[in-house]
Amino acid sequence: QVQLRESGGGLVQPGGSLRLSCAASGRTTDTTFMAWFRQTPSKVREFVGACKWSGLITEYGEAVKGRFAISTDNVRNTVYLQMNNLKPTDTAVYYCAASLDKNNYNRPGAYEYWGQGTQVTVSS
């Protein structure tokens, strides 16, 4: 019912910035939360941030607070992740997700729909 497609990943130097996009299609009005997660080969998928389409609620994981920001464009049905002051430890595959669940916004299991992921590499 909902399709998601990420874009905007790439190689960036430490301290640099990137903006990721997640284009949503289908019955997006059924979704409660939109979120970003990230995953490295060495650890479990990690919560990055979540929001509602209205923008009234925005939540972030502790590792990215103050550096990353989620925003929405309801006309384009697109969610953005602005990443500033990037660190090598931010290197990961970043996924967007959509949830029908009103609870557990920071848990991967709460999300029914996922994009294919986009690689972000932070290196000199």
Side-chain angles (χ1 to χ4, degrees), residues 6 8 13 19 28 34 40 43 51-53 62 66 72-73 77 84 91 95 98 100 109 112 114 123:
E6 303 97 334
Q13 294 184 348
R19 189 178 75 163
T28 57
M34 298 294 297
T40 67
K43 63 182 180 181
C51 70
K52 293 187 175 183
W53 284 107
E62 292 296 327
T72 60
D73 185 333
N77 280 333
N84 299 318
T91 296
Y95 298 88
L100 306 179
E112 290 83 7
W114 294 83
S123 176

Side-chain angles (χ1 to χ4, degrees), residues 23-72:
S25 60
R27 296 187 61 85
T28 57
T29 55
D30 292 341
T31 63
T32 300
F33 290 102
M34 298 294 297
W36 289 94
F37 291 82
R38 66 186 185 183
Q39 186 171 3
T40 67
S42 61
K43 63 182 180 181
V44 71
R45 190 165 293 187
E46 178 186 23
F47 174 72
V48 175
C51 70
K52 293 187 175 183
W53 284 107
S54 65
L56 295 176
I57 297 176
T58 306
E59 303 287 347
Y60 298 96
E62 292 296 327
V64 305
K65 282 184 177 179
R67 299 190 296 120
F68 292 8
I70 292 175
S71 62
T72 60

Side-chain angles (χ1 to χ4, degrees), residues 2 4 20 32 41 44 46 61 63-64 75 81 86 109 111-112 117:
V2 179
L4 306 173
L20 306 183
T32 300
V44 71
E46 178 186 23
V64 305
V75 175
L81 180 66
L86 284 161
Y111 289 81
E112 290 83 7

Side-chain angles (χ1 to χ4, degrees), residues 63-118:
V64 305
K65 282 184 177 179
R67 299 190 296 120
F68 292 8
I70 292 175
S71 62
T72 60
D73 185 333
N74 291 338
V75 175
R76 288 168 165 255
N77 280 333
T78 300
V79 180
Y80 301 97
L81 180 66
Q82 179 66 46
M83 305 184 295
N84 299 318
N85 192 24
L86 284 161
K87 305 175 181 179
T89 50
D90 294 319
T91 296
V93 178
Y94 285 73
Y95 298 88
C96 64
S99 176
L100 306 179
D101 197 336
K102 296 182 178 180
N103 302 309
N104 307 125
Y105 63 87
N106 61 342
R107 299 180 182 179
Y111 289 81
E112 290 83 7
Y113 305 102
W114 294 83
Q116 82 287 349
T118 185

